[in-house]
């Protein structure tokens, strides 16, 4: 199933057109995620913390929202380790939540419009299921 179909299906299932942004800021992630980091490389350590935090957020919201939307810029600042955390987050299947793959909005200006349109369509489908 492609990401748009999954998003529509999940929006109808959750009756909620909102998404959760995953814009990780290491300074705002709770300390409990940082205490058992096992890496001497600071970028790898941060990427591991970000992924674990994202995974828990996804698991927590899977029944409440149709999708999560990671913001690539927050991952890129940690170099290849951050990009790997982004890829791992997108690949994570924490249940029935969609991790939108059209998240490179800093590079593709139309994503925000497209995503807004998709959410509008999903909202219409929820309001009028026979449409």
């Amino acid at each position: 199933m492609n990401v748009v179909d999954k998003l529509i299906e999940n929006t109808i299932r959750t009756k909620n057109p909102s998404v959760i942004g995953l814009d990780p800021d290491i300074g705002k992630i709770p300390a409990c995620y940082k205490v058992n980091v096992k890496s001497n490389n600071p970028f790898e350590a941060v990427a591991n913390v970000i992924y674990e935090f994202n995974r828990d957020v996804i698991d927590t919201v899977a029944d409440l929202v149709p999708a999560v939307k990671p913001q690539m810029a927050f991952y890129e600042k940690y170099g290849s380790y951050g990009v790997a955390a982004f890829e791992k987050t997108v690949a994570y299947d924490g249940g029935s939540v969609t991790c939108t793959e059209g998240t490179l909005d800093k590079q593709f200006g139309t994503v925000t419009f497209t995503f807004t349109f998709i959410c509008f369509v999903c909202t219409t489908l929820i309001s009028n299921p026979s449409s």
Side-chain angles (χ1 to χ4, degrees):
M1 175 181 305
N2 70 48
V3 70
V4 174
D5 289 339
K6 189 172 180 187
L7 178 61
I8 291 169
E9 181 180 282
N10 286 350
T11 302
I12 292 168
R13 175 184 56 79
T14 61
K15 296 178 176 50
N16 182 0
S18 347
V19 298
I20 299 291
L22 295 176
D23 307 341
D25 178 340
I26 195 67
K28 295 179 181 175
I29 292 176
C32 61
Y33 288 93
K34 303 171 193 173
V35 292
N36 293 320
V37 177
K38 295 186 175 45
S39 177
N40 293 327
N41 180 319
F43 290 107
E44 181 178 32
V46 167
N48 290 338
V49 168
I50 288 171
Y51 171 70
E52 288 180 24
F53 178 74
N54 287 348
R55 185 194 60 215
D56 286 351
V57 169
I58 291 168
D59 289 345
T60 301
V61 302
D63 293 331
L64 305 172
V65 298
V68 295
K69 182 186 168 293
Q71 169 55 269
M72 185 62 162
F74 282 82
Y75 300 84
E76 285 178 339
K77 69 182 181 181
Y78 300 109
S80 60
Y81 291 103
V83 172
F86 172 86
E87 291 173 342
K88 209 170 159 182
T89 297
V90 170
Y92 180 66
D93 183 8
S96 51
V97 69
T98 298
C99 191
T100 61
E101 296 174 46
T103 53
L104 305 177
D105 39 356
K106 75 177 200 77
Q107 295 173 3
F108 302 106
T110 61
V111 169
T112 302
F113 170 76
T114 303
F115 198 75
T116 302
F117 177 74
I118 291 167
C119 288
F120 170 76
V121 169
C122 292
T123 304
T124 303
L125 287 171
I126 289 170
S127 303
N128 306 304
S130 60
S131 301

